[in-house]
Amino acid sequence: MTDTVLNVTRSILGQPWRWRALAADARDPGFQPDDLVTQLLLSRGVARDDLDANRSPSIRGFMPDPSIFNDMDTAAARLADAVQAGEAVTVFGDYDVDGATSAALIIRLLRGLGLDPQAYIPDRLMEGYGPSGEALVRIAAGGASLIVTVDCGAQAFEALDMARDAGVDVIVVDHHQCATALPHALALVNPNRLDEREGKQHGHLAAVGVAFLLGAALLRELRGRGFFADRAEPKLLDLLDLVALGTVADVAQLKGLNRAFVAQGLKVMAQRRNIGLTALAEAARLTRAPTCSDLGFALGPRINAGGRVGRADLGVRLLTTYDPVEARSIAAELDRLNEERRAIEALVQQEAENQPHGAAVAVVAGKGWHAGVIGIVAGRLKERLGVPVIVIAIDEAGIGKGSGRSIPGVDLGNAVLAAKEAGLLVAGGGHAMAAGLTITEDKLADFAAFLDDRLAAAVARSNADRALLVDALLAPGGVTPMLCETIDGGGPYGMGWPAPRVVAGPFRPIKVDVVGNGHVRAIMAGDDGRSLKAMAFRSADTALGQALLQAPPHRKLWLAGRPKVDDWASRPAAELHLDDAAWAD
């Protein structure tokens, strides 16, 4: 059986179409062809024995014993001591969504245990990424006896030495890749420590997922001490909305425990228990129950906007407030900052696209670029170029802040860490798909050459394997709301657990035009008399968009994309969000 779909070896976007997996019944006589959800799960690597657990991923079904992680029990015991003694605790978080949700989870949990923890979020432009020694010493001088860093700290050697000298205990809760040597901390909980054993299988967790596991270990420790003999135990599961948001926004792989976090977190979020998240959903004009896509494209960017172009602590304040008036005020401010961020991002992206991108890894830099949007621009360029991209904003002193995004099969975080160890960076780290760094302007050329030499082979392999993977082939009338509902049964979908892609057709164009910010909208008609709306986002100047706009009315196309329900109309209708197309004749 061939793995090529409809014999498409070169589509309009120049790629072959292949089945994500050959029909399961070709290798498994127990497979039932009409069970689409089973097919989706199997094609995403689920073993048949694990199908039931993955149909409805639960925390109980995927939750590991937190004690398998190095330093977890030490961290839980120290936090339990702080709770029982009523100590002053400060949570130091990164300024992105993962950092904000991680900090909010720890803060809300400690509040439920009787403490009044403080939050410290560094300013992206003034303080940079991660804990600085000066900040930790200042926090200690303010009375804190314990600092918990979340989504940062795994590379903070000098800062943690200064904190130790100042006499304050620091617990590091992180997920970024670690070097062989670890900074001095009371406890460093990170599934990506090189000395992790059983815990390394959870290296795909976002920091907020690691924070949730620490929360579970803390409650277990306090339970063992009899702390809840005369008081109610906080419901950790009520904080899963924060875990879902941070996991999706940080583009963590939605496999294993992360799928359970997101699936159950969306249910908690639909109950609107968190006043801040409810206000943010209202600001984003979300009136229905949120979806995984909403977390990544509506809520996450607004939380991020505070750290990118506004005040870094806005996200944590929103997620930890119990005051509806304050929540609505902060949500409105984040919504405004998000619009400002979009305008800044467009300017930086235009300038970045005008720079040459010939290497295996595109490294672009510009003076005066806003450091708060470089990660988003890197992601946009990566999608356009098909190679890893690092975007660097250089300040007046010649210091560059960089953010990178990678492609499947290319570990950018590890390469950035290696560049730091080679003396090319002031600071740097990350994970496989994303990285951050600080560099002096005079090292830019050497850094770009280093990445090109280290990653060229991996990029070439990734591009050689490039193909559009398809889950199902449909007649024109097969894209329906019922199909979308069935597909949802295999979710949640995201990084590492791709949303199903179908090919439908053949269609001939009825009406094609450009709408919004360069989106192409197409009304297509099939031979079965059924019509379909298709959307190709940000594609007006691409080969796909131009093919649709210029397609003659008599020529037919196969359309490849992701079925979605358009619920803005008077009654729900299905549409196709396009990834590619191919001529049918």
Side-chain angles (χ1 to χ4, degrees):
M1 179 183 291
T2 179
D3 68 346
T4 304
V5 179
L6 296 170
N7 294 318
V8 175
T9 57
R10 185 173 180 81
S11 68
I12 286 174
L13 290 180
Q15 58 191 334
W17 290 359
R18 298 191 181 123
W19 294 110
R20 196 177 301 278
L22 291 177
D25 55 348
R27 59 181 192 275
D28 184 349
F31 178 72
Q32 300 194 9
D34 60 342
D35 187 349
L36 179 58
V37 173
T38 296
Q39 184 177 354
L40 294 175
L41 295 175
L42 290 172
S43 67
R44 281 151 184 77
V46 176
R48 179 163 289 281
D49 290 344
D50 296 330
L51 283 173
D52 289 342
N54 278 275
R55 286 181 193 277
S56 300
S58 67
I59 303 301
R60 182 184 296 274
F62 288 94
M63 183 83 168
D65 180 351
S67 295
I68 66 173
F69 298 93
N70 289 337
D71 286 358
M72 181 67 83
D73 291 340
T74 300
R78 179 64 184 89
L79 273 171
D81 291 342
V83 168
Q84 291 187 304
E87 292 183 49
V89 178
T90 293
V91 181
F92 189 111
D94 189 24
Y95 36 67
D96 68 0
V97 184
D98 193 17
T101 51
S102 301
L105 185 147
I106 297 294
I107 289 169
R108 292 177 74 98
L109 180 59
L110 293 180
R111 283 178 181 172
L113 295 169
L115 293 188
D116 183 25
Q118 302 301 304
Y120 187 99
I121 308 295
D123 182 273
R124 180 188 294 263
L125 299 180
M126 301 301 295
E127 298 179 77
Y129 168 77
S132 68
E134 293 77 11
L136 297 183
V137 170
R138 190 163 59 249
I139 291 170
S145 55
L146 176 62
I147 299 172
V148 182
T149 74
V150 290
D151 197 30
C152 59
Q155 295 289 323
F157 292 90
E158 182 179 349
L160 294 183
D161 283 344
M162 292 177 66
R164 183 180 57 176
D165 294 342
V168 62
D169 289 336
V170 179
I171 295 171
V172 174
V173 180
D174 204 353
H175 70 131
H176 293 101
Q177 290 180 345
C178 297
T180 304
L182 297 173
H184 294 109
L186 176 74
L188 197 158
V189 184
N190 184 337
N192 288 307
R193 286 174 54 153
L194 296 182
D195 59 349
E196 275 293 345
R197 295 182 180 179
E198 189 177 350
K200 70 172 57 176
Q201 65 182 296
H202 299 286
H204 59 288
L205 293 178
V208 69
V210 183
F212 181 89
L213 294 175
L214 175 58
L218 169 60
L219 293 179
R220 183 177 63 184
E221 176 71 19
L222 289 171
R223 203 179 300 126
R225 298 184 184 189
F227 184 76
F228 301 115
D230 58 354
R231 69 176 71 204
E233 182 176 327
K235 295 181 179 179
L236 185 62
L237 294 179
D238 286 352
L239 301 177
L240 281 172
D241 49 3
L242 297 174
V243 184
L245 176 57
T247 298
V248 173
D250 210 53
V251 202
Q253 291 191 35
L254 295 192
K255 62 181 184 179
L257 181 57
N258 276 348
R259 290 193 68 233
F261 279 154
V262 175
Q264 301 305 319
L266 285 170
K267 295 178 182 178
V268 174
M269 196 177 295
Q271 297 169 11
R272 299 195 168 218
R273 295 177 180 177
N274 187 301
I275 290 173
L277 279 177
T278 299
L280 192 65
E282 292 172 352
R285 276 73 69 186
L286 285 177
T287 57
R288 50 170 170 72
T291 65
C292 194
S293 178
D294 294 328
L295 303 187
F297 295 101
L299 303 183
R302 286 170 169 79
I303 294 287
N304 255 336
R308 293 187 187 280
V309 297
R311 298 206 312 276
D313 66 344
L314 285 176
V316 171
R317 286 177 52 203
L318 176 73
L319 298 176
T320 56
T321 186
Y322 299 105
D323 181 350
V325 175
E326 181 184 29
R328 286 193 292 270
S329 175
I330 297 174
E333 176 69 1
L334 288 172
D335 190 53
R336 184 191 67 78
L337 290 171
N338 191 50
E339 292 300 319
E340 182 180 331
R341 184 268 307 168
R342 287 179 176 175
I344 296 171
E345 172 197 329
L347 291 174
V348 174
Q349 181 172 340
Q350 183 177 17
E351 293 185 17
E353 287 178 345
N354 289 334
Q355 294 193 12
H357 313 119
V361 179
V363 179
V364 296
K367 291 187 176 180
W369 288 355
H370 197 298
V373 301
I374 53 178
I376 302 173
V377 173
R380 299 265 192 240
L381 285 180
K382 177 205 72 170
E383 293 299 324
R384 181 176 289 269
L385 301 175
V387 300
V389 173
I390 294 180
V391 180
I392 300 172
I394 304 172
D395 64 18
E396 295 178 353
I399 302 298
K401 300 291 185 181
S403 186
R405 298 293 183 269
S406 194
I407 60 177
V410 181
D411 191 335
L412 187 60
N414 186 266
V416 166
L417 192 59
K420 177 190 173 187
E421 293 175 345
L424 296 173
L425 303 176
V426 176
H431 44 81
M433 298 300 290
L437 58 92
T438 303
I439 187 171
T440 56
E441 189 174 7
D442 62 304
K443 296 286 189 181
L444 282 174
D446 290 340
F447 173 59
F450 177 91
L451 289 182
D452 194 51
D453 180 66
R454 184 182 179 91
L455 297 179
V459 172
R461 284 194 300 271
S462 179
N463 285 332
D465 293 337
R466 177 173 171 258
L468 193 81
L469 301 183
V470 175
D471 292 282
L473 178 62
L474 304 173
V479 182
T480 65
M482 183 175 294
L483 172 74
C484 297
E485 182 179 346
T486 301
I487 283 174
D488 287 344
Y493 300 103
M495 176 60 65
W497 196 269
R501 181 183 290 114
V502 305
V503 168
F507 292 100
R508 56 185 178 81
I510 299 297
K511 177 183 179 183
V512 184
D513 55 1
V514 178
V515 296
N517 186 24
H519 312 313
V520 175
R521 175 180 59 190
I523 306 300
M524 312 292 288
D527 292 339
D528 59 3
R530 304 292 294 273
S531 63
L532 176 73
K533 182 173 82 169
M535 293 292 301
F537 296 101
R538 298 188 183 89
S539 66
D541 59 348
T542 69
L544 175 60
Q546 287 300 305
L548 292 170
L549 289 165
Q550 298 176 21
H554 62 276
R555 198 166 183 197
K556 296 178 182 178
L557 287 154
W558 292 102
L559 302 181
R562 305 178 193 275
K564 299 290 183 181
V565 172
D566 179 5
D567 49 15
W568 290 100
S570 56
R571 62 176 184 173
E575 61 186 30
L576 199 61
H577 292 183
L578 297 185
D579 296 312
D580 202 352
W583 299 111
D585 47 29

